[in-house]
Amino acid sequence: MFRKISTRMAFAYGAIIVLTIFIIDAVLIFSYQERQLSKNIKSQVEYGNFIADIAKEHLSDVGTLNSTLQGYTKNVEGRVLIMDKKGYVLADKYAEYFGKTLKNSVIDRAIKDKSSQAGYARQDDHHIMLVAVPIKDSRGLLGLVLLSADMDSIIKDISELKIQVISISLLACIAAVILAWKLGCKITKPLEILTSASESIRGGKLDIQVDIKENDEIGELADAFNRMSQEIYKTDISRRRFLSDVSHELNTPLTAIKTLVESLIDGDDDIYVYKEYLNDINCEIDRLSTLVKSLLTSTKLDQSEIFKENVCIYDEAQFLSRLFGPRLMQRKMILKNNCDKRLMISADVSMLRELLTNLIDNSIKYGREGGKIEISAGSIDGKKLLKIKDDGIGIPDKDLPYIFDFLYRVDKSRGRGIEGSGFGLFIVKKIAERHGWDILVKSHVEGGTEFTIMIGD
């Protein structure tokens, strides 16, 4: 029953509201009762003082006292008694208790304290209020005025108020519980939609989106879910494409090797043909080895930690210039190091070298015979920039958005029949992302290529 949030909310909010209403009702009813009783006691005491002032002058004359009492109380509801300080009744509006001695707690307190006292009693199923007012002069206590008034009308008013307040409060509690339940349903409905969508993702439907338009935390959660769903879907597409591409890349050299081996087994050629076939097999094995190493490099980049340290870009460029020296000489190319010698960046040295190695390798591979490569690094408006620029054959505009994709190759007909692995720039992008750097590329066919890495320490 209490598994659903809407039910728990209705119960919790309902309990809080009921408790609050109960406290308010108790305070309201008690305050009204006290106010009504105090008001009635006050009026009785004032009237009692009036009678006491009159009776004080006639206490020694019982006849005059009774006639005076009858004259002043004939239009007053309730009983009025005048007694001496021992409780002996000297005058009674209804002559019922005349000549009798009365004792009760109200009379006793009034005689003892010589002050007005009030109390309550029941008589013949009626609620009675008793008020005793002392008759005093300079000599001290002379007697008492005892007034009794029917309280049934006041008790009835208080009871009716209780019934009305409780009825209204009960309706308010029911309405509050219903509203709390509806509010709970309104809050939980988007959660139920999100739960259902999550189950759909678990079932394999990764591109699902939820239509929840709320301007609160639930709306933010829905937006976050939609973004997560899109990322999961993109990741799954990338994974599928990755497996497809890798399968294709592995299958191509394996098929070639198998064909060459079968030709060697079935053929009866001379030693030179065998050497040519074996050389082709060796090339395909190298291709396989390069692909496997690239896959291992990608996995290592995803799993390994980054150990950043302060690195001088100029020194790294000098190191790679010496490393690529033989290849540069072979193609009669020049690598110019225009980096600021004082510029230091925070980077993982091995990853930074891998990034620069891939970019320089591409520049040599697709550069012009006798051309040049420039490496520059500096600060502009407080931002550190690293650039690698060549004057090679460039990249067509249609290929620029995809050059960092896994195993993407620009059409090899663009120059010299060179076919890349489609992995170098993918590694470059990964290293930049691991460091939190942005990488931009500008290129023109036959106009060279420039890679710009924006470094944020």
Side-chain angles (χ1 to χ4, degrees):
M1 177 180 176
F2 290 100
R3 289 184 60 191
K4 298 189 71 175
I5 293 177
S6 57
T7 305
R8 293 204 300 267
M9 284 187 65
F11 180 80
Y13 286 129
I16 293 171
I17 293 170
V18 168
L19 181 61
T20 303
I21 291 176
F22 172 79
I23 294 172
I24 293 173
D25 288 352
V27 172
L28 179 65
I29 293 170
F30 178 78
S31 298
Y32 178 77
Q33 179 175 295
E34 287 298 306
R35 189 168 59 251
Q36 290 296 103
L37 294 177
S38 297
K39 180 181 177 182
N40 198 46
I41 290 173
K42 183 179 178 181
S43 65
Q44 292 293 325
V45 168
E46 289 176 351
Y47 183 66
N49 284 324
F50 170 72
I51 297 297
D53 288 339
I54 296 172
K56 182 168 50 176
E57 300 176 1
H58 305 287
L59 282 176
S60 58
D61 186 352
V62 175
T64 303
L65 183 63
N66 274 277
S67 62
T68 302
L69 178 64
Q70 294 294 331
Y72 280 102
T73 61
K74 63 181 179 180
N75 295 322
V76 178
E77 293 184 2
R79 183 184 296 276
V80 180
L81 302 174
I82 299 174
M83 59 186 68
D84 63 16
K85 60 183 179 181
K86 293 182 179 180
Y88 180 79
V89 178
L90 301 173
D92 180 2
K93 176 183 177 181
Y94 298 115
E96 182 179 351
Y97 294 104
F98 179 74
K100 295 181 180 180
T101 299
L102 300 180
K103 293 287 185 181
N104 60 41
S105 60
V106 176
I107 295 171
D108 292 342
R109 290 200 310 273
I111 293 172
K112 180 181 178 181
D113 298 339
K114 298 180 179 62
S115 62
S116 300
Q117 300 291 331
Y120 304 96
R122 287 184 64 86
Q123 183 177 3
D124 299 331
D125 294 328
H126 293 286
H127 295 86
I128 305 297
M129 172 186 284
L130 297 176
V131 177
V133 178
I135 304 172
K136 296 186 294 184
D137 64 6
S138 59
R139 293 170 295 175
L141 182 67
L142 302 177
L144 294 176
V145 176
L146 182 65
L147 302 98
S148 63
D150 185 59
M151 293 288 296
D152 287 343
S153 60
I154 296 177
I155 298 299
K156 183 180 179 182
D157 288 344
I158 294 173
S159 298
E160 289 177 353
L161 176 67
K162 287 181 181 179
I163 293 172
Q164 291 174 357
V165 169
I166 291 172
S167 300
I168 293 171
S169 299
L170 184 61
L171 292 175
C173 289
I174 294 172
V177 171
I178 293 173
L179 288 174
W181 180 75
K182 286 186 174 294
L183 178 62
C185 290
K186 186 177 185 299
I187 292 174
T188 56
K189 185 176 180 180
L191 296 179
E192 290 173 357
I193 294 173
L194 287 169
T195 301
S196 176
S198 299
E199 290 295 327
S200 297
I201 289 178
R202 190 166 70 93
K205 190 177 180 180
L206 304 180
D207 60 339
I208 191 168
Q209 298 282 288
V210 294
D211 184 19
I212 299 174
K213 295 179 175 62
E214 301 284 349
N215 295 321
D216 53 18
E217 290 82 353
I218 298 294
E220 292 176 3
L221 178 61
D223 292 339
F225 177 88
N226 287 336
R227 291 193 298 270
M228 180 193 70
S229 175
Q230 289 176 350
E231 290 301 318
I232 292 175
Y233 181 68
K234 289 178 182 177
T235 301
D236 184 66
I237 294 296
S238 298
R239 180 183 62 84
R240 293 173 185 272
R241 188 174 66 184
F242 175 84
L243 292 174
S244 176
D245 291 344
V246 169
S247 299
H248 174 74
E249 293 298 321
L250 290 173
N251 186 62
T252 300
L254 286 173
T255 301
I257 291 171
K258 180 176 176 60
T259 302
L260 291 169
V261 170
E262 287 176 349
S263 298
L264 287 173
I265 293 172
D266 297 336
D268 190 18
D269 301 307
D270 56 34
I271 189 66
Y272 298 106
V273 174
Y274 278 107
K275 285 184 176 182
E276 183 179 349
Y277 279 10
L278 289 173
N279 185 58
D280 290 340
I281 291 172
N282 187 56
C283 289
E284 294 299 329
I285 291 173
D286 287 342
R287 183 177 174 186
L288 273 175
S289 178
T290 300
L291 178 60
V292 171
K293 286 180 180 178
S294 298
L295 292 173
L296 290 174
T297 300
S298 175
T299 302
K300 181 180 178 182
L301 284 174
D302 287 332
Q303 297 178 350
S304 63
E305 294 184 24
I306 296 179
F307 298 98
K308 290 186 177 182
E309 56 184 286
N310 287 328
V311 182
C312 178
I313 290 290
Y314 179 84
D315 292 343
E316 289 301 313
Q318 285 294 97
F319 171 79
L320 292 172
S321 179
R322 292 191 297 272
L323 184 67
F324 282 100
R327 287 185 60 191
L328 291 167
M329 290 179 62
Q330 185 181 6
R331 299 213 57 217
K332 301 177 182 179
M333 298 178 74
I334 299 173
L335 193 153
K336 296 183 67 176
N337 183 0
N338 296 328
C339 296
D340 185 344
K341 293 182 180 181
R342 298 168 299 176
L343 183 67
M344 305 291 290
I345 67 169
S346 178
D348 185 298
V349 176
S350 61
M351 288 189 183
L352 177 62
R353 286 182 182 175
E354 182 77 22
L355 180 148
L356 291 172
T357 297
N358 278 287
L359 292 177
I360 294 172
D361 179 70
N362 270 9
S363 293
I364 295 174
K365 189 184 298 183
Y366 299 109
R368 296 183 182 281
E369 188 86 16
K372 67 178 180 179
I373 302 169
E374 295 182 33
I375 302 177
S376 59
S379 296
I380 300 177
D381 296 332
K383 296 181 179 179
K384 297 176 182 179
L385 302 177
L386 171 62
K387 295 184 179 182
I388 296 91
K389 182 179 181 180
D390 64 56
D391 56 0
I393 59 178
I395 303 170
D397 289 342
K398 67 181 180 66
D399 293 307
L400 281 175
Y402 312 105
I403 59 173
F404 294 110
D405 290 352
F406 178 69
L407 294 177
Y408 185 82
R409 299 184 183 90
V410 179
D411 188 356
K412 65 182 180 180
S413 65
R414 70 190 182 110
R416 300 199 308 275
I418 299 171
E419 183 177 4
S421 66
F423 208 83
L425 292 181
F426 175 74
I427 293 293
V428 168
K429 181 71 171 177
K430 265 188 173 294
I431 292 173
E433 288 176 346
R434 289 298 305 275
H435 282 78
W437 302 340
D438 292 323
I439 182 167
L440 305 175
V441 58
K442 292 191 297 184
S443 187
H444 303 283
V445 176
E446 303 301 331
T449 302
E450 179 183 78
F451 289 91
T452 302
I453 301 168
M454 293 178 287
I455 300 171
D457 287 340

